[in-house]
């Protein structure tokens, strides 16, 4: 699948090395330093394309964009991979509801998503891979799991036995009861007859009447959800034997902690004997009117609609960064108008012929981002610099600041 167009990022001049990045890691339940390296591997779970990018998706991809930008600004490369769940039950259900072909629906939504990501200046993944195009990889991954005796049939479907991973449950920290409840809420089938354990997950679903299926050595069918991400991550991030974990960062919203990321980690562990990620990073949920914004609830605010209505995408970026990524938070018109007002103050300051000193501000922004992506602190520092500039302070280098806002925060103001 084509990714979206690349983003120009200016070089950052800080006068020194950037502080090491520290990130919240769900598995260790701590803020962990990301080991300094020349090359990183990051996998972020992509959209299921049946409703265009809402602000929840945008917030999640912006968060990982901040990580991507920071690691690059530190002088490293980042192999960034994202999937598209372009075949799954919710997509088929929506296509039937709306009387459209599921492939057309997916393509149209993926195009909208790409447009939104370009507008928000999100660095594109190096590999943007759909589940359908990944079917040969999924088959390979199921075979690798089968060779570890962790695959069994139920009717003509195939399941992964989670107890083959001694670490199962260690990344998400839930009781069996909690796991079972959440599993059934998020696409799982704990009570299906014939399963060895209620939490075992489907890896290959045989073709159902009036549904698409693909020929494979596993029979005619389609991939289960979790194995799609496991297979894509392991193939396109090409883990090295010399590294302790397969990849550096596995990411997505907190709604993916269980079952999705636990299942991916368990499958990867059984396949390779190694832990999937050094850090499991999860973003809080964006809500509207007191509830999580979700396609199934329909309480969505779309990036494309805001942009079509004339909202500056940089204001959306600023608004989403004005609160911390791990916190569940509400979107509202007030959040947006506050961001618009703040941006107009910063823009005014940036246009002054003399600006307040910038070297310390650049350090403050870098330190804030290194501290588990503390964007509210970075924004507060920029606002206080703007105030000082408006009060007549001078001696700063506006180009240095513009480059920092762009390189680290993705803001062109
Ligand atoms: N295709 C799967 C992942 S493999 C999926 O979860 N798709 S999604 O379209 O439902 O979500 C795409 C990404 O946005 C996921 O990382 C998800 O965790 C995140 N996300 C979904 N809803 C919200 C929300 N309300 N707030 C923040 N992030 C969200
Ligand atoms: Zn995923």
């Amino acid at each position: 699948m084509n990714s979206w167009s690349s983003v120009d990022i200016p070089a950052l001049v800080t006068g020194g090395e950037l502080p090491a990045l520290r990130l919240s890691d769900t598995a260790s339940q701590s803020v962990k330093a990301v080991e300094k390296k020349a090359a990183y591997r990051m996998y972020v779970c992509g959209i299921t394309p049946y409703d265009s990018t809402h602000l929840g998706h945008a917030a999640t991809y912006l968060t990982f964009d901040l990580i991507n930008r920071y690691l690059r600004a530190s002088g490293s490369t980042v192999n960034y991979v994202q999937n598209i769940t372009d075949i799954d039950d919710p997509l088929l259900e929506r296509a039937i509801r709306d009387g459209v072909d599921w492939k057309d629906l997916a393509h149209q939504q993926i195009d909208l998503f790409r447009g939104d990501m370009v507008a928000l200046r999100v660095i594109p993944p190096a590999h943007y891979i759909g589940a359908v195009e990944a079917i040969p990889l999924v088959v390979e991954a199921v075979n690798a799991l089968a060779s570890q005796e962790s695959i069994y049939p139920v009717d003509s479907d195939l399941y992964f036995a989670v107890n083959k991973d001694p670490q199962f449950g260690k990344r998400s920290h839930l009781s069996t009861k909690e796991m079972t409840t959440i599993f059934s809420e998020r696409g799982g089938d704990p009570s299906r007859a014939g399963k060895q354990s209620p939490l075992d997950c489907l890896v290959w679903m045989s073709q159902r009447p009036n549904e698409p299926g693909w020929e494979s050595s596993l029979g005619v069918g389609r991939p289960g959800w979790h194995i799609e991400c496991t297979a894509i991550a392991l193939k396109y991030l090409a883990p090295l034997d010399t590294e302790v974990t397969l990849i550096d960062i596995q990411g997505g919203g907190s709604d993916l902690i269980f079952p999705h990321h636990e299942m991916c980690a368990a499958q990867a562990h059984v396949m390779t004997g190694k832990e999937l990620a050094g850090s499991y990073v999860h973003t809080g949920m964006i809500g509207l009117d007191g509830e999580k914004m979700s396609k199934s609830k329909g309480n969505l605010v779309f990036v494309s609609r805001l942009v079509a209505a004339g909202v500056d995408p940089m204001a959306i970026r600023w608004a989403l960064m004005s609160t911390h990524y791990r916190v569940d938070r509400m979107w509202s018109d007030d959040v947006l108008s506050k961001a618009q007002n703040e941006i107009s103050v910063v823009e005014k300051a940036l246009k002054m012929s003399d600006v307040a000193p910038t070297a310390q501000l650049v350090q403050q922004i870098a330190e804030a981002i290194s501290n588990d992506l503390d964007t509210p602190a970075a924004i507060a520092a920029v606002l206080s610099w703007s105030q000082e500039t408006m009060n007549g302070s001078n001696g700063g280098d506006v180009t240095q600041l513009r480059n920092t806002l762009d390189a680290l925060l993705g803001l062109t103001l």
Side-chain angles (χ1 to χ4, degrees):
M1 199 74 73
N2 291 329
S3 197
W4 52 94
S5 44
S6 62
V7 178
D8 284 333
I9 312 167
L12 193 63
V13 183
T14 57
E17 241 183 66
L18 291 181
L21 180 61
R22 281 171 296 127
L23 289 175
S24 285
D25 167 44
T26 304
S28 63
Q29 297 179 303
S30 67
V31 179
K32 255 174 62 173
V34 175
E35 193 196 328
K36 285 232 174 191
K37 291 183 175 181
Y40 291 94
R41 294 172 170 74
M42 178 162 80
Y43 186 88
V44 177
C45 283
I47 55 163
T48 304
Y50 67 92
D51 246 333
S52 54
T53 331
H54 62 62
L55 287 164
H57 302 139
T60 288
Y61 298 115
L62 284 183
T63 300
F64 292 96
D65 191 54
L66 293 170
I67 297 175
N68 201 352
R69 284 170 182 273
Y70 194 84
L71 295 175
R72 284 164 191 248
S74 309
S76 305
T77 59
V78 182
N79 183 2
Y80 177 29
V81 177
Q82 196 180 119
N83 70 307
I84 312 147
T85 307
D86 60 358
I87 183 68
D88 202 7
D89 292 346
L91 173 65
L92 295 175
E93 282 157 18
R94 177 60 63 91
I96 289 168
R97 189 199 81 175
D98 294 352
V100 293
D101 185 283
W102 65 271
K103 288 191 232 72
D104 295 341
L105 174 61
H107 284 136
Q108 181 203 7
Q109 296 301 318
I110 294 165
D111 270 348
L112 269 174
F113 178 70
R114 288 193 189 103
D116 293 345
M117 291 297 104
V118 170
L120 292 169
R121 306 195 76 253
V122 173
I123 300 173
H127 302 281
Y128 190 42
I129 309 296
V132 171
E133 64 184 307
I135 286 174
L137 303 179
V138 168
V139 172
E140 230 177 86
V142 173
N143 285 330
L145 286 171
S147 69
Q148 301 297 320
E149 286 159 12
S150 63
I151 297 292
Y152 64 90
V154 175
D155 306 324
S156 40
D157 299 331
L158 295 175
Y159 278 79
F160 167 65
V162 294
N163 66 10
K164 291 286 174 182
D165 175 24
Q167 294 295 104
F168 185 73
K170 299 263 168 56
R171 300 100 184 166
S172 46
H173 309 282
L174 298 166
S175 68
T176 305
K177 189 162 174 262
E178 286 166 326
M179 286 197 270
T180 310
T181 307
I182 301 174
F183 190 50
S184 69
E185 287 165 2
R186 299 189 185 150
D189 52 3
S191 43
R192 181 168 178 184
K195 287 175 64 173
Q196 290 173 5
S197 154
L199 294 175
D200 291 348
C201 70
L202 184 70
V203 289
W204 187 257
M205 183 185 190
S206 64
Q207 187 174 23
R208 304 294 197 261
N210 304 317
E211 287 192 2
W214 285 263
E215 295 266 3
S216 84
S217 57
L218 308 173
V220 181
R222 58 180 163 103
W225 173 27
H226 317 300
I227 193 72
E228 155 198 352
C229 287
T230 315
I232 295 173
L234 294 190
K235 174 73 178 183
Y236 287 94
L237 289 170
L240 291 180
D241 288 345
T242 49
E243 302 256 355
V244 177
T245 61
L246 296 164
I247 68 173
D248 299 294
I249 294 163
Q250 152 85 317
S254 58
D255 57 339
L256 299 185
I257 295 173
F258 192 86
H260 188 50
H261 287 173
E262 187 69 59
M263 295 296 180
C264 294
Q267 290 166 347
H269 195 206
V270 171
M271 280 166 74
T272 67
K274 280 191 178 185
E275 189 57 35
L276 175 61
S279 298
Y280 294 91
V281 180
H282 292 104
T283 58
M285 291 290 109
I286 302 287
L288 187 72
D289 303 328
E291 281 203 272
K292 174 191 161 187
M293 203 177 275
S294 78
K295 291 182 262 209
S296 50
K297 291 205 185 82
N299 58 342
L300 307 177
V301 178
F302 295 114
V303 174
S304 50
R305 287 210 199 134
L306 288 177
V307 173
V311 174
D312 179 357
M314 292 300 104
I316 302 174
R317 226 182 138 112
W318 183 283
L320 291 171
M321 290 193 300
S322 65
T323 36
H324 193 260
Y325 79 92
R326 293 191 65 219
V327 179
D328 289 343
R329 52 231 150 101
M330 290 296 146
W331 179 262
S332 67
D333 290 344
D334 288 349
V335 171
L336 180 61
S337 53
K338 182 165 173 277
Q340 288 166 324
N341 291 336
E342 289 175 347
I343 279 190
S344 68
V345 173
V346 179
E347 279 176 333
K348 229 187 248 167
L350 287 168
K351 283 192 190 116
M352 301 284 281
S353 50
D354 260 327
V355 298
T358 45
Q360 199 199 343
L361 174 61
V362 167
Q363 283 303 327
Q364 281 175 318
I365 295 172
E367 255 152 46
I369 298 302
S370 74
N371 180 22
D372 199 19
L373 313 179
D374 189 353
T375 49
I379 281 181
V382 175
L383 286 173
S384 108
W385 170 90
S386 305
Q387 210 47 65
E388 284 164 28
T389 297
M390 301 311 281
N391 292 344
S393 172
N394 57 40
D397 174 353
V398 81
T399 307
Q400 183 196 30
L401 177 56
R402 282 186 188 280
N403 286 351
T404 306
L405 292 176
D406 188 351
L408 293 186
L409 302 177
L411 293 168
T412 46
L413 300 178

